[in-house]
Amino acid sequence: MERKLNIGNKITLIPKRGTEDIEDINSFMEKIGISPKKYLKIRSYIVKDLYKLGIYPEIRERYSNKVTTQITLIIEGNYGRGFEAIIDDPDEVARFLVGEEAIAIDQNGTEYEVRGDSSIVLDWTKEESDYFFFEKVK
């Protein structure tokens, strides 16, 4: 069992918990009473400073959780040509990943209701980011 890791600046990382999604991160932020902006600032500190020290890969392996934060889709358009649209709303990403309809938005702001198995979706990829759980920063 991995132990908690105090990395300084009053941040103690909690070991990787397994598969997480963006809703787990949102619940975590709410539980410890920090805003997404504050969370991203702390996350940036963790990533940048530990990377500079040359120990980020080890920390990442033991303490980071991969969370899908965006889906990029190629949607069939006119004459069989595809165009790109994204799903970046956390609720919509979660819906898409479990096979439900989600809203994708193209570069013009047009919304499309899509599912991964829909015939108009030619291809899709997910973008994952490292997220960390930690004890409350004072």
Side-chain angles (χ1 to χ4, degrees):
M1 181 175 154
E2 292 286 334
R3 296 181 354 191
K4 294 178 182 177
L5 177 67
N6 185 335
I7 60 169
N9 203 20
K10 299 182 183 174
I11 298 174
T12 301
L13 296 179
I14 297 171
K16 185 185 296 192
R17 300 194 226 189
T19 305
E20 306 291 341
D21 64 23
I22 198 69
E23 289 306 314
D24 295 320
I25 299 297
N26 291 339
S27 295
F28 166 73
M29 287 186 288
E30 189 175 307
K31 179 181 169 187
I32 67 170
I34 62 172
S35 67
K37 184 176 180 178
K38 173 87 171 174
Y39 178 86
L40 291 174
K41 184 177 178 182
I42 294 167
R43 180 176 160 253
S44 178
Y45 162 77
I46 293 168
V47 173
K48 288 179 182 174
D49 287 359
L50 296 179
Y51 191 77
K52 286 178 188 175
L53 293 172
I55 59 173
Y56 183 68
E58 292 83 11
I59 301 295
R60 180 184 195 188
E61 179 66 32
R62 294 180 180 161
Y63 294 92
S64 75
N65 296 274
K66 288 286 190 193
V67 175
T68 301
T69 53
Q70 179 175 301
I71 307 285
T72 302
L73 305 126
I74 303 298
I75 297 177
E76 184 175 19
N78 295 334
Y79 312 110
R81 299 172 114 180
F83 62 92
E84 192 172 284
I86 63 166
I87 303 171
D88 61 359
D89 177 270
D91 294 330
E92 298 297 322
V93 168
R95 283 187 196 101
F96 184 84
L97 291 174
V98 297
E100 297 176 5
E101 282 193 349
I103 303 296
I105 302 172
D106 71 9
Q107 65 184 5
N108 298 321
T110 306
E111 295 183 351
Y112 300 88
E113 289 186 8
V114 295
R115 296 169 66 122
D117 61 357
S118 174
S119 62
I120 67 166
V121 175
L122 302 175
D123 194 16
W124 64 274
T125 57
K126 61 184 180 178
E127 180 179 315
E128 295 181 322
S129 299
D130 291 330
Y131 278 79
F132 297 89
F133 289 90
F134 45 82
E135 291 185 345
K136 189 171 183 176
V137 177
K138 300 188 182 352

